[in-house]
Amino acid sequence: MERSVLKIALDNIFHGSNFTKAANEFKERAPGRNALVLGGTGEVGREVVKHLMVSDAFDKVTVFTRRPIEYTGAHAEKLVQKPVDFENAEQLERDFAGHSYAFCCLGTPRGRSGIDTYYKVDHDYVVNAARACKAADVEHYSICSSAGADKNSMFS
């Protein structure tokens, strides 16, 4: 199946009536919630941002990123972008305060970035962000891991 056709089919599933119903029920059960997204410029992160925005389940969605993203879709006024330094734990904690949900989509291709950068992004930044979320009382931390993730990897 051609990628664009597949994307249209998936968008219809994800943004259909069941998706909308679930998002509305979530918002009714948990009003006033804010979400943050890490890695919002990557392939997965862009889709997470899009789905969070379309769902309208959160009052605010903050994308912490090294470079700005372009978003002109539904509820764009609720999108906030902030620069991030994953090595500054105190700043991360301050920035993450007031958010209830975190979606971590950080990752970099090992072959393109080299082993040191790969480890820093896929391990150190993810762990630093998780610790900052815990310190900032973020209630939920969701992480998107790569296909083939292995508990016995070099990150163990």
PDB file of all heavy atoms in Angstrom, residues 88-109:
ATOM      1  N   ASN A  88      20.409  20.313  31.595  1.00  0.00           N
ATOM      2  CA  ASN A  88      20.169  21.232  32.698  1.00  0.00           C
ATOM      3  C   ASN A  88      18.959  20.741  33.501  1.00  0.00           C
ATOM      4  O   ASN A  88      17.816  21.127  33.233  1.00  0.00           O
ATOM      5  CB  ASN A  88      19.938  22.645  32.151  1.00  0.00           C
ATOM      6  CG  ASN A  88      19.816  23.687  33.242  1.00  0.00           C
ATOM      7  OD1 ASN A  88      19.484  23.370  34.386  1.00  0.00           O
ATOM      8  ND2 ASN A  88      20.066  24.933  32.888  1.00  0.00           N
ATOM      9  N   ALA A  89      19.210  19.887  34.474  1.00  0.00           N
ATOM     10  CA  ALA A  89      18.137  19.231  35.236  1.00  0.00           C
ATOM     11  C   ALA A  89      17.235  20.230  35.959  1.00  0.00           C
ATOM     12  O   ALA A  89      16.011  20.054  35.982  1.00  0.00           O
ATOM     13  CB  ALA A  89      18.737  18.243  36.234  1.00  0.00           C
ATOM     14  N   GLU A  90      17.819  21.255  36.531  1.00  0.00           N
ATOM     15  CA  GLU A  90      17.007  22.236  37.278  1.00  0.00           C
ATOM     16  C   GLU A  90      16.050  22.980  36.355  1.00  0.00           C
ATOM     17  O   GLU A  90      14.895  23.217  36.707  1.00  0.00           O
ATOM     18  CB  GLU A  90      17.908  23.235  38.034  1.00  0.00           C
ATOM     19  CG  GLU A  90      18.712  22.620  39.150  1.00  0.00           C
ATOM     20  CD  GLU A  90      20.001  21.943  38.663  1.00  0.00           C
ATOM     21  OE1 GLU A  90      20.452  22.229  37.527  1.00  0.00           O
ATOM     22  OE2 GLU A  90      20.535  21.110  39.412  1.00  0.00           O
ATOM     23  N   GLN A  91      16.527  23.341  35.174  1.00  0.00           N
ATOM     24  CA  GLN A  91      15.668  24.042  34.219  1.00  0.00           C
ATOM     25  C   GLN A  91      14.569  23.123  33.700  1.00  0.00           C
ATOM     26  O   GLN A  91      13.423  23.544  33.549  1.00  0.00           O
ATOM     27  CB  GLN A  91      16.488  24.612  33.049  1.00  0.00           C
ATOM     28  CG  GLN A  91      15.672  25.471  32.100  1.00  0.00           C
ATOM     29  CD  GLN A  91      15.108  26.707  32.774  1.00  0.00           C
ATOM     30  OE1 GLN A  91      15.844  27.433  33.451  1.00  0.00           O
ATOM     31  NE2 GLN A  91      13.826  26.970  32.609  1.00  0.00           N
ATOM     32  N   LEU A  92      14.922  21.873  33.445  1.00  0.00           N
ATOM     33  CA  LEU A  92      13.904  20.916  33.006  1.00  0.00           C
ATOM     34  C   LEU A  92      12.798  20.811  34.042  1.00  0.00           C
ATOM     35  O   LEU A  92      11.609  20.845  33.698  1.00  0.00           O
ATOM     36  CB  LEU A  92      14.515  19.529  32.780  1.00  0.00           C
ATOM     37  CG  LEU A  92      15.409  19.326  31.573  1.00  0.00           C
ATOM     38  CD1 LEU A  92      16.002  17.925  31.582  1.00  0.00           C
ATOM     39  CD2 LEU A  92      14.657  19.580  30.281  1.00  0.00           C
ATOM     40  N   GLU A  93      13.168  20.687  35.294  1.00  0.00           N
ATOM     41  CA  GLU A  93      12.170  20.567  36.370  1.00  0.00           C
ATOM     42  C   GLU A  93      11.271  21.800  36.408  1.00  0.00           C
ATOM     43  O   GLU A  93      10.049  21.677  36.509  1.00  0.00           O
ATOM     44  CB  GLU A  93      12.873  20.375  37.704  1.00  0.00           C
ATOM     45  CG  GLU A  93      11.914  20.126  38.839  1.00  0.00           C
ATOM     46  CD  GLU A  93      12.623  19.896  40.167  1.00  0.00           C
ATOM     47  OE1 GLU A  93      13.790  19.478  40.175  1.00  0.00           O
ATOM     48  OE2 GLU A  93      11.976  20.157  41.198  1.00  0.00           O
ATOM     49  N   ARG A  94      11.855  22.979  36.289  1.00  0.00           N
ATOM     50  CA  ARG A  94      11.042  24.210  36.283  1.00  0.00           C
ATOM     51  C   ARG A  94      10.107  24.246  35.076  1.00  0.00           C
ATOM     52  O   ARG A  94       8.934  24.591  35.193  1.00  0.00           O
ATOM     53  CB  ARG A  94      11.942  25.449  36.300  1.00  0.00           C
ATOM     54  CG  ARG A  94      12.586  25.739  37.640  1.00  0.00           C
ATOM     55  CD  ARG A  94      13.257  27.113  37.668  1.00  0.00           C
ATOM     56  NE  ARG A  94      14.355  27.244  36.727  1.00  0.00           N
ATOM     57  CZ  ARG A  94      15.617  26.899  36.980  1.00  0.00           C
ATOM     58  NH1 ARG A  94      15.947  26.391  38.143  1.00  0.00           N
ATOM     59  NH2 ARG A  94      16.551  27.069  36.069  1.00  0.00           N
ATOM     60  N   ASP A  95      10.637  23.872  33.910  1.00  0.00           N
ATOM     61  CA  ASP A  95       9.839  23.911  32.683  1.00  0.00           C
ATOM     62  C   ASP A  95       8.713  22.878  32.691  1.00  0.00           C
ATOM     63  O   ASP A  95       7.648  23.110  32.133  1.00  0.00           O
ATOM     64  CB  ASP A  95      10.724  23.679  31.456  1.00  0.00           C
ATOM     65  CG  ASP A  95      11.585  24.878  31.116  1.00  0.00           C
ATOM     66  OD1 ASP A  95      11.301  25.994  31.599  1.00  0.00           O
ATOM     67  OD2 ASP A  95      12.552  24.691  30.355  1.00  0.00           O
ATOM     68  N   PHE A  96       8.951  21.724  33.302  1.00  0.00           N
ATOM     69  CA  PHE A  96       7.968  20.646  33.298  1.00  0.00           C
ATOM     70  C   PHE A  96       6.880  20.844  34.353  1.00  0.00           C
ATOM     71  O   PHE A  96       5.821  20.232  34.272  1.00  0.00           O
ATOM     72  CB  PHE A  96       8.641  19.292  33.511  1.00  0.00           C
ATOM     73  CG  PHE A  96       9.559  18.863  32.389  1.00  0.00           C
ATOM     74  CD1 PHE A  96      10.314  17.714  32.529  1.00  0.00           C
ATOM     75  CD2 PHE A  96       9.692  19.588  31.214  1.00  0.00           C
ATOM     76  CE1 PHE A  96      11.164  17.294  31.512  1.00  0.00           C
ATOM     77  CE2 PHE A  96      10.544  19.191  30.203  1.00  0.00           C
ATOM     78  CZ  PHE A  96      11.277  18.033  30.346  1.00  0.00           C
ATOM     79  N   ALA A  97       7.134  21.684  35.336  1.00  0.00           N
ATOM     80  CA  ALA A  97       6.139  21.941  36.390  1.00  0.00           C
ATOM     81  C   ALA A  97       4.841  22.439  35.762  1.00  0.00           C
ATOM     82  O   ALA A  97       4.846  23.210  34.813  1.00  0.00           O
ATOM     83  CB  ALA A  97       6.679  22.958  37.392  1.00  0.00           C
ATOM     84  N   GLY A  98       3.721  21.957  36.274  1.00  0.00           N
ATOM     85  CA  GLY A  98       2.420  22.378  35.770  1.00  0.00           C
ATOM     86  C   GLY A  98       1.876  21.497  34.661  1.00  0.00           C
ATOM     87  O   GLY A  98       0.779  21.725  34.166  1.00  0.00           O
ATOM     88  N   HIS A  99       2.640  20.512  34.258  1.00  0.00           N
ATOM     89  CA  HIS A  99       2.183  19.556  33.246  1.00  0.00           C
ATOM     90  C   HIS A  99       1.787  18.260  33.947  1.00  0.00           C
ATOM     91  O   HIS A  99       2.419  17.850  34.918  1.00  0.00           O
ATOM     92  CB  HIS A  99       3.280  19.283  32.216  1.00  0.00           C
ATOM     93  CG  HIS A  99       3.605  20.470  31.376  1.00  0.00           C
ATOM     94  ND1 HIS A  99       4.525  21.416  31.761  1.00  0.00           N
ATOM     95  CD2 HIS A  99       3.111  20.878  30.186  1.00  0.00           C
ATOM     96  CE1 HIS A  99       4.590  22.354  30.827  1.00  0.00           C
ATOM     97  NE2 HIS A  99       3.736  22.058  29.862  1.00  0.00           N
ATOM     98  N   SER A 100       0.753  17.637  33.454  1.00  0.00           N
ATOM     99  CA  SER A 100       0.260  16.389  34.038  1.00  0.00           C
ATOM    100  C   SER A 100       0.725  15.162  33.278  1.00  0.00           C
ATOM    101  O   SER A 100       0.865  14.087  33.858  1.00  0.00           O
ATOM    102  CB  SER A 100      -1.276  16.394  34.052  1.00  0.00           C
ATOM    103  OG  SER A 100      -1.759  17.534  34.696  1.00  0.00           O
ATOM    104  N   TYR A 101       0.934  15.309  31.994  1.00  0.00           N
ATOM    105  CA  TYR A 101       1.285  14.185  31.126  1.00  0.00           C
ATOM    106  C   TYR A 101       2.526  14.530  30.314  1.00  0.00           C
ATOM    107  O   TYR A 101       2.636  15.649  29.800  1.00  0.00           O
ATOM    108  CB  TYR A 101       0.132  13.850  30.163  1.00  0.00           C
ATOM    109  CG  TYR A 101      -1.048  13.245  30.865  1.00  0.00           C
ATOM    110  CD1 TYR A 101      -1.950  14.031  31.570  1.00  0.00           C
ATOM    111  CD2 TYR A 101      -1.261  11.872  30.841  1.00  0.00           C
ATOM    112  CE1 TYR A 101      -3.036  13.474  32.235  1.00  0.00           C
ATOM    113  CE2 TYR A 101      -2.340  11.305  31.498  1.00  0.00           C
ATOM    114  CZ  TYR A 101      -3.218  12.116  32.193  1.00  0.00           C
ATOM    115  OH  TYR A 101      -4.281  11.557  32.846  1.00  0.00           O
ATOM    116  N   ALA A 102       3.430  13.556  30.194  1.00  0.00           N
ATOM    117  CA  ALA A 102       4.626  13.729  29.375  1.00  0.00           C
ATOM    118  C   ALA A 102       4.692  12.592  28.359  1.00  0.00           C
ATOM    119  O   ALA A 102       4.443  11.427  28.699  1.00  0.00           O
ATOM    120  CB  ALA A 102       5.873  13.729  30.236  1.00  0.00           C
ATOM    121  N   PHE A 103       5.011  12.944  27.132  1.00  0.00           N
ATOM    122  CA  PHE A 103       5.174  11.980  26.057  1.00  0.00           C
ATOM    123  C   PHE A 103       6.598  12.121  25.527  1.00  0.00           C
ATOM    124  O   PHE A 103       6.937  13.139  24.921  1.00  0.00           O
ATOM    125  CB  PHE A 103       4.150  12.226  24.944  1.00  0.00           C
ATOM    126  CG  PHE A 103       2.738  12.090  25.423  1.00  0.00           C
ATOM    127  CD1 PHE A 103       2.051  13.182  25.939  1.00  0.00           C
ATOM    128  CD2 PHE A 103       2.098  10.858  25.397  1.00  0.00           C
ATOM    129  CE1 PHE A 103       0.742  13.059  26.399  1.00  0.00           C
ATOM    130  CE2 PHE A 103       0.791  10.727  25.854  1.00  0.00           C
ATOM    131  CZ  PHE A 103       0.116  11.828  26.361  1.00  0.00           C
ATOM    132  N   CYS A 104       7.426  11.128  25.803  1.00  0.00           N
ATOM    133  CA  CYS A 104       8.830  11.175  25.407  1.00  0.00           C
ATOM    134  C   CYS A 104       9.022  10.387  24.117  1.00  0.00           C
ATOM    135  O   CYS A 104       8.846   9.166  24.093  1.00  0.00           O
ATOM    136  CB  CYS A 104       9.703  10.613  26.521  1.00  0.00           C
ATOM    137  SG  CYS A 104      11.459  10.697  26.122  1.00  0.00           S
ATOM    138  N   CYS A 105       9.378  11.102  23.067  1.00  0.00           N
ATOM    139  CA  CYS A 105       9.596  10.497  21.749  1.00  0.00           C
ATOM    140  C   CYS A 105      11.032  10.748  21.289  1.00  0.00           C
ATOM    141  O   CYS A 105      11.305  10.821  20.097  1.00  0.00           O
ATOM    142  CB  CYS A 105       8.624  11.093  20.738  1.00  0.00           C
ATOM    143  SG  CYS A 105       6.907  11.037  21.237  1.00  0.00           S
ATOM    144  N   LEU A 106      11.936  10.891  22.252  1.00  0.00           N
ATOM    145  CA  LEU A 106      13.324  11.169  21.919  1.00  0.00           C
ATOM    146  C   LEU A 106      13.981   9.957  21.289  1.00  0.00           C
ATOM    147  O   LEU A 106      13.721   8.823  21.679  1.00  0.00           O
ATOM    148  CB  LEU A 106      14.108  11.553  23.181  1.00  0.00           C
ATOM    149  CG  LEU A 106      13.757  12.887  23.805  1.00  0.00           C
ATOM    150  CD1 LEU A 106      14.442  13.030  25.155  1.00  0.00           C
ATOM    151  CD2 LEU A 106      14.147  14.028  22.881  1.00  0.00           C
ATOM    152  N   GLY A 107      14.843  10.214  20.346  1.00  0.00           N
ATOM    153  CA  GLY A 107      15.600   9.148  19.715  1.00  0.00           C
ATOM    154  C   GLY A 107      16.368   9.680  18.525  1.00  0.00           C
ATOM    155  O   GLY A 107      15.992  10.685  17.939  1.00  0.00           O
ATOM    156  N   THR A 108      17.441   8.999  18.222  1.00  0.00           N
ATOM    157  CA  THR A 108      18.237   9.376  17.070  1.00  0.00           C
ATOM    158  C   THR A 108      18.770   8.107  16.412  1.00  0.00           C
ATOM    159  O   THR A 108      19.052   7.131  17.108  1.00  0.00           O
ATOM    160  CB  THR A 108      19.396  10.324  17.467  1.00  0.00           C
ATOM    161  OG1 THR A 108      20.053  10.794  16.299  1.00  0.00           O
ATOM    162  CG2 THR A 108      20.410   9.635  18.359  1.00  0.00           C
ATOM    163  N   PRO A 109      18.890   8.096  15.093  1.00  0.00           N
ATOM    164  CA  PRO A 109      19.422   6.906  14.426  1.00  0.00           C
ATOM    165  C   PRO A 109      20.889   6.689  14.789  1.00  0.00           C
ATOM    166  O   PRO A 109      21.698   7.609  14.694  1.00  0.00           O
ATOM    167  CB  PRO A 109      19.285   7.229  12.934  1.00  0.00           C
ATOM    168  CG  PRO A 109      18.335   8.366  12.863  1.00  0.00           C
ATOM    169  CD  PRO A 109      18.454   9.106  14.149  1.00  0.00           C
TER     170      PRO A 109
END
